[in-house]
Amino acid sequence: MEPEPARPPSAGLTAGPRADRRPATVAIAAGRGPHQPGTPLNVPPVLASVTRIGDPAVHGPYEYGRDGNPTWTALEEVLGELEGGTAVTFASGIAAIAAVLATVQVGGTVVAPDDAYTGARALLEDLAARRVLRQVLVDIADTEAVLTACQGADLLWVETPTNPLLAIADLDALVAGAHAAGVRVAVDSTFATPLNQRPLAHGADLVVHSATKLIAGHSDVLLGAVVATDPDLLAAVTRRRLLDGAVPGPFEAWLALRGLRTLPLRLDRAQANAGVLADRLAELPGVGGVRYPGRATGQAAARVAAQMRGHGTIVSFDLADAPTADRACAAVRLIAHATSLGGVETTMERRNRQPGEEAVPAGLVRVSVGCEDVEDLWDDLRSAVATAVGGP
Ligand SMILES: *Cc1c(COP(=O)(O)O)cnc(C)c1O
């Protein structure tokens, strides 16, 4: 992989040192305020619902805790600089998604992946059932079908890679085609993180993260973010946060920022582990297929090379059927049998057991690879699969 080029500085909410820094440095150095003797190096969790009224230009936009909080600002500066935009944090990833969907006028049409994150699909379903929006579900990897569906639509919702099937959308082609049709583009980039994929650089209008996952990284916090550059869109999502009250707690923001400081290290380790496990799983008797961006072929491989810097930490593999996959999940000893993803600890789950995931193959196991020693992970996974394949 080529060395990451330095990035142009982006506008932050508060004054701070800005330079052409690389992402691994930004994750550590941004969001600390000006270098001023006597101030804490880390912005602390500011547990205040009320702040004394001051000059916003001097003291920041803080008055009431639903409008703003210095700990949010610190986290937003780091995320914004990493993505190349301005970030707005939310109580959860799904709250961030809801704020983006609310930028569409009532009666508008959203085109979305038929294999998008199950919570995003449930939310779209609910909005469609209440006639707030129309939804058109598509295979996001099929660019032609997506762009046909975009005619007359208002928002293209992209997720890439998708959860849990790891389909890869063609960001450049989708953005160009959607914009030509006057359709705004939002990308759920949770699986990639800002270190592996920067949708704004491909022309996307909005990026969404469930920071609950890799960004916070320790399975102990729920938090979401929207990143954009257009001031009107930023104002719209910020207003949504204020009106709907989907605000992150200051302590959660502090935990997420603390996690984000080590994202480059965690991601390097976890995706190296994921690559090893994906390759070994593919050779394992009883495993039908392995989905991992690093093992993509053909068109998907070309897209991965064009838009991703690393292959991520999620590996999905197929076992024969639901009972076999359930036995594998019950047999792991080091890996946790648990939902969610992106923590330092490896977890796995038979995904089709979740409501709304009926389209996922019954025997598909999604592994969120963490930072343990890869040989210990492999010992556990190999023996669990062998136990499961051996029969009840
Ligand atoms: C988990 C997840 C979300 C939802 O985020 P929450 O923080 O759980 O609300 C959205 N998109 C993707 C891809 C996810 O994996």
Side-chain angles (χ1 to χ4, degrees):
M1 223 168 272
E2 287 171 32
E4 177 78 7
R7 291 172 181 165
S10 68
L13 294 180
T14 62
R18 307 269 158 206
D20 294 354
R21 289 169 175 160
R22 290 157 186 84
T25 305
V26 171
I28 290 173
R32 296 189 184 276
H35 275 232
Q36 219 173 66
T39 59
L41 184 56
N42 287 299
V43 174
V46 178
L47 301 175
S49 59
V50 183
T51 302
R52 290 189 186 89
I53 293 168
D55 177 354
V58 180
H59 304 109
Y62 314 118
E63 204 169 291
Y64 185 57
R66 187 149 41 77
D67 292 283
N69 174 288
T71 318
W72 301 354
T73 304
L75 173 60
E76 287 167 349
E77 282 188 11
V78 184
L79 277 176
E81 199 167 333
L82 286 173
E83 283 288 4
T86 299
V88 183
T89 49
F90 285 85
S92 64
I94 205 75
I97 294 173
V100 169
L101 293 179
T103 62
V104 179
Q105 293 303 311
V106 169
T109 297
V110 178
V111 176
D114 55 12
D115 65 338
Y117 167 66
T118 169
R121 273 187 294 120
L123 178 56
L124 273 168
E125 190 70 47
D126 175 78
L127 292 166
R130 292 188 291 117
R131 301 187 192 286
V132 179
L133 296 174
R134 263 173 28 86
Q135 57 163 346
V136 181
L137 300 181
V138 291
D139 172 0
I140 203 70
D142 184 345
T143 302
E144 208 182 306
V146 176
L147 295 181
T148 302
C150 277
Q151 299 306 315
D154 298 277
L155 177 73
L156 171 59
W157 181 262
V158 179
E159 187 178 307
T160 187
T162 60
N163 178 1
L165 296 178
L166 298 155
I168 309 290
D170 185 339
L171 280 179
D172 285 329
L174 290 182
V175 168
H179 282 175
V183 177
R184 205 174 269 157
V185 181
V187 180
D188 183 337
S189 202
T190 297
F191 270 30
T193 84
L195 299 178
N196 275 348
Q197 179 171 280
R198 296 176 80 226
L200 298 179
H202 294 268
D205 302 285
L206 299 134
V207 179
V208 169
H209 284 288
S210 169
T212 306
K213 312 295 167 56
L214 282 139
I215 287 174
H218 295 75
S219 310
D220 54 8
V221 57
L222 283 156
L223 198 130
V226 177
V227 193
T229 54
D230 179 88
D232 293 338
L233 280 177
L234 285 164
V237 294
T238 306
R239 188 172 142 77
R240 236 31 277 166
R241 177 175 67 181
L242 176 69
L243 292 181
D244 295 339
V247 292
F251 192 66
E252 279 71 12
W254 182 80
L255 277 174
L257 177 54
R258 187 182 162 100
L260 180 51
R261 297 296 187 202
T262 57
L263 175 63
L265 292 162
R266 289 184 286 107
L267 185 65
D268 275 357
R269 172 63 166 262
Q271 73 188 351
N273 285 354
V276 170
L277 296 182
D279 287 345
R280 292 185 187 176
L281 276 168
E283 303 296 322
L284 201 61
V287 171
V290 176
R291 298 164 208 255
Y292 182 61
R295 294 182 54 84
T297 54
Q299 199 178 50
R303 292 173 184 176
V304 168
Q307 68 199 34
M308 296 186 75
R309 296 195 60 81
H311 300 141
T313 64
I314 309 297
V315 179
S316 294
F317 66 96
D318 293 303
L319 292 174
D321 49 27
T324 309
D326 284 336
R327 283 197 299 274
C329 290
V332 280
R333 293 288 169 264
L334 167 64
I335 298 171
H337 180 203
T339 192
S340 196
L341 55 102
V344 288
E345 57 289 304
T346 301
T347 60
M348 70 187 225
E349 174 184 35
R350 185 173 72 79
R351 205 44 206 164
N352 168 285
R353 61 182 280 283
Q354 296 285 356
E357 295 282 47
E358 292 78 16
V360 173
L364 182 141
V365 176
R366 185 187 71 189
V367 187
S368 169
V369 181
C371 299
E372 302 91 336
D373 188 302
V374 70
E375 297 305 334
D376 290 325
L377 291 175
W378 177 242
D379 287 347
D380 196 33
L381 199 51
R382 185 194 46 190
S383 89
V385 170
T387 304
V389 170

